[in-house]
Amino acid sequence: MIGRLIAGRYRLEALLGRGGMGTVYRARHVGLDEMVAVKILHDELRTDPSYVDRFEREARAAARLHHPCTVRVTDFGQDADGLLYFVMELADGRDLARVIHADWPLSPERIARIIVQMLSALAVAHEAGIIHRDLKPENVMIVVGVDDDGKPVDMVKVCDFGIAKDTRADRARGARPTTVGSVFGTPEYMSPEQGRSKPLDARSDLYSVGVIMYELLTGRLPFDADGAVDLVMKHVLEDPVPPSNIGPVNALLETVCLKALAKNPSDRYQSAREMQAVLRGLAGTQTVTPVKAKRAASDAVPLPSRVPTQQATVTNVPAPREETPSRLGRAVRVALIVTMACMTGAVGLRAVRTEPNAASGSIRAAEPGAPPPRDEPPPTPTAPATAEGRTRTIPPSTTGHVAHPVAATPTSTSASTSTSTSTSTPTSTPTPTSTPTSTSTPTVAVVDSPPPFDPSRGSVRIGGISVEGALSRDVAGAVGRALGRIAACYQDDLRASGVAKRGSGSLRIETDAAGVIVRARVNVGFAPSIARCIERAVQGQRVAGVDTGEASATIALAFDVR
């Protein structure tokens, strides 16, 4: 298609992107010498009336919207050979998905400015009776502009109204509501009512904005699942983990995000302008002037690994219900800790209260009425570990807060008690010591537990690469830019499971003609739940040097935690 003249005036010069319904090219209006974008319906869809109707609806809906933050459609038609196309302004920038990949974490002010502009475009669309229904980062272009002070800022362009619902046009022609069971959209960003094929209004788009906000705040989506149906059901049934439980976030942005993600539409903001008003103070109100965007050098910047904050307390947002999975998971862990403490008491510890060790996060037993613990050197081990547990000695204490055996006895010279030493005279019948003046060193059996590990130390390395249609170093560079998010997927799984799982996996990628990774398949046998997360982290990255054809590659990945 490159070089073809469309409608006698638009010459196609380069491929910009390919979607499920059409392909977008950069083109030149030969009469005006102006650069535009031309979207062409896929050849195989021309005979499908439903796709033709959707394509025309996208063109008409976008043409009706006159706002700086929407992509303006200027022409629509059919070429002599039946090719369907429409022409729109060229948004010279990056889509929001690539911005998140390359620039995350974003400052609160930048997030607010992006969301406020999105809401401005949506407010105009909603007031015109148009519901987008497929809002996602790939459908939001970020163009470089300058503010009143001449500083570069983001200018948002909402695009791709391919499955938009024009409620006014439907009513005018007496169209019936969408058939129950027909679901359009992207599962990761669907509102609960959209996933259940319920009637939609503007608040459905606001839920999708909430999902995008969550991704801007945390670098990940609120829900993850192996299949589309499971993912939609999570949107319908589950509450998201508050962003502040994942990392430090702005309290106002978190509050707005969680309200937009409410399951019941009546609990969300009731209009885009209402939601926008809450964020205006943080975003600022300066005028933005578009400028020609340069190629972003930040595409090569890897994402940092996200380290969870020590505090799991959420501020300025409603507390989650007691039955949420996160609370339930903590309750189960506490119950297991208490059970282990009781078991430990049965083999020699009087464990009636647990106190957290601030340095290591572990739990140890303490005597009733004991004073608060002080920092002391760790016990000195005197015997090797056994199959049942480790044996160690606890030195005599004068502080009264170290756990003691039920009956501390001086050790005898018999072989059965040779694991501890005493200066007292051995006797044939051990007698419990009634005073703390004994110099004996009692022996305590401690039940083994899994060795502690830090999930944030989980890392991923690239191994061997088998590639077709590109260079190995270019594939390694594209995957390397996503390694931060791949490692975050691995770290999240380590935190959820509490087990230091290590192993290897493989990543299969395929690119389009522009080198953009459009398909990714991951096989991680030891942790299959992270496959979908890694696939999303890789998709959208660009493999350099793939300019005239498609490429594919298989990459070995090594997962380790130190």
Side-chain angles (χ1 to χ4, degrees):
M1 297 290 289
I2 303 299
R4 173 168 174 168
L5 189 65
I6 304 295
R9 53 187 178 274
Y10 305 109
R11 188 172 301 281
L12 307 184
E13 293 190 350
L15 176 69
L16 295 179
R18 180 180 295 136
M21 195 163 56
T23 304
V24 181
Y25 295 89
R26 185 178 72 237
R28 183 181 302 275
H29 191 301
V30 294
L32 300 176
D33 194 25
E34 180 184 18
M35 301 308 298
V36 295
V38 177
K39 185 169 185 176
I40 298 174
L41 182 67
H42 292 321
D43 288 344
E44 61 271 20
L45 301 180
R46 290 187 206 170
T47 58
D48 189 329
S50 64
Y51 280 99
V52 172
D53 180 66
R54 285 172 55 187
F55 192 76
E56 293 178 356
R57 185 166 64 242
E58 176 181 4
R60 292 194 187 97
R64 287 175 50 194
L65 302 178
H66 302 282
H67 190 276
C69 293
T70 57
V71 173
R72 187 177 72 258
V73 170
T74 59
D75 197 2
F76 171 79
Q78 188 171 16
D79 216 358
D81 62 352
L83 180 146
L84 278 170
Y85 70 93
F86 64 79
V87 182
M88 49 192 167
E89 65 173 307
L90 180 64
D92 193 2
R94 297 179 292 167
D95 64 48
L96 186 55
R98 297 194 183 192
V99 171
I100 295 173
H101 272 287
D103 299 354
W104 192 89
L106 281 66
S107 69
E109 294 77 15
R110 188 179 183 190
I111 293 173
R113 283 194 295 268
I114 290 172
I115 297 299
V116 163
Q117 292 181 73
M118 286 178 58
L119 292 170
S120 293
L122 289 176
V124 172
H126 294 164
E127 289 162 3
I130 297 172
I131 306 167
H132 193 288
R133 297 202 300 176
D134 195 24
L135 280 171
K136 55 185 175 182
E138 289 82 356
N139 289 340
V140 178
M141 294 298 299
I142 305 297
V143 179
V144 176
V146 293
D147 62 14
D148 294 342
D149 300 322
K151 297 178 181 178
V153 292
D154 297 316
M155 185 171 182
V156 170
K157 294 282 188 178
V158 178
C159 58
D160 202 349
F161 285 79
I163 64 170
K165 187 74 170 176
D166 191 335
T167 56
R168 292 184 183 177
D170 287 349
R171 285 195 299 268
R173 67 174 184 265
R176 295 182 180 181
T178 302
T179 304
V180 174
S182 298
V183 178
F184 297 98
T186 304
E188 288 86 350
Y189 301 89
M190 278 186 182
S191 66
E193 60 270 28
Q194 190 174 3
R196 296 171 63 190
S197 297
K198 298 294 184 182
L200 304 182
D201 58 24
R203 296 171 295 183
S204 178
D205 281 348
L206 299 187
Y207 183 93
S208 300
V209 174
V211 178
I212 295 173
M213 280 192 72
Y214 194 101
E215 194 169 5
L216 287 166
L217 288 169
T218 66
R220 73 181 198 184
L221 291 164
F223 303 110
D224 187 25
D226 293 332
V229 174
D230 293 337
L231 191 55
V232 170
M233 292 310 297
K234 286 192 174 185
H235 280 287
V236 173
L237 299 174
E238 294 187 13
D239 291 327
V241 175
S244 58
N245 283 18
I246 299 171
V249 297
N250 178 276
L252 174 63
L253 292 178
E254 181 179 52
T255 302
V256 173
C257 173
L258 291 177
K259 183 169 182 178
L261 289 175
K263 302 299 180 190
N264 191 334
S266 62
D267 294 332
R268 301 175 203 150
Y269 295 100
Q270 299 304 291
S271 71
R273 296 201 187 279
E274 179 188 354
M275 185 174 175
Q276 183 186 50
V278 181
L279 295 170
R280 276 196 182 279
L282 185 58
T285 57
Q286 285 190 312
T287 304
V288 179
T289 304
V291 297
K292 186 175 179 60
K294 297 179 180 180
R295 286 295 173 191
S298 58
D299 279 338
V301 180
L303 290 175
S305 298
R306 298 188 301 280
V307 180
T309 55
Q310 297 299 318
Q311 294 291 337
T313 304
V314 183
T315 58
N316 297 329
V317 295
R321 298 191 301 272
E322 288 294 328
E323 66 270 21
T324 56
S326 58
R327 286 286 183 93
L328 181 60
R330 288 196 292 271
V332 171
R333 289 195 292 272
V334 171
L336 288 174
I337 292 171
V338 173
T339 302
M340 291 181 64
C342 294
M343 291 172 62
T344 305
V347 295
L349 291 179
R350 193 184 310 150
V352 295
R353 186 176 77 246
T354 59
E355 298 174 303
N357 184 323
S360 64
S362 60
I363 303 293
R364 63 185 179 85
E367 286 289 315
R374 300 186 308 189
D375 292 335
E376 292 185 349
T380 304
T382 59
T386 64
E388 292 78 13
R390 296 188 303 275
T391 301
R392 74 180 183 209
T393 60
I394 297 180
S397 171
T398 58
T399 62
H401 69 271
V402 176
H404 292 286
V406 175
T409 61
T411 54
S412 171
T413 56
S414 62
S416 62
T417 58
S418 61
T419 55
S420 69
T421 58
S422 172
T423 58
S424 60
T425 304
T427 60
S428 58
T429 304
T431 304
T433 303
S434 58
T435 64
T437 58
S438 172
T439 59
S440 62
T441 303
T443 297
V444 178
V446 180
V447 177
D448 268 332
S449 60
F453 74 99
D454 183 359
S456 66
R457 304 281 292 182
S459 62
V460 184
R461 301 190 314 276
I462 297 176
I465 299 177
S466 174
V467 64
E468 296 179 5
L471 297 177
S472 296
R473 66 169 181 266
D474 293 334
V475 173
V479 177
R481 289 192 291 272
L483 269 186
R485 295 192 73 182
I486 294 174
C489 298
Y490 177 43
Q491 292 165 6
D492 289 346
D493 183 74
L494 293 174
R495 293 187 190 98
S497 64
V499 179
K501 296 181 288 187
R502 300 172 173 86
S504 60
S506 63
L507 166 63
R508 173 74 179 176
I509 63 169
E510 297 177 18
T511 76
D512 60 15
V516 177
I517 298 175
V518 293
R519 283 177 292 276
R521 291 292 178 267
V522 174
N523 181 14
V524 186
F526 69 94
S529 60
I530 67 176
R532 179 64 176 159
C533 179
I534 294 175
E535 289 166 3
R536 284 201 304 267
V538 172
Q539 288 176 351
Q541 296 294 329
R542 186 178 184 278
V543 178
V546 184
D547 294 327
T548 59
E550 299 176 353
S552 61
T554 301
I555 305 99
L557 300 176
F559 299 81
D560 192 18
V561 56
R562 298 181 297 277

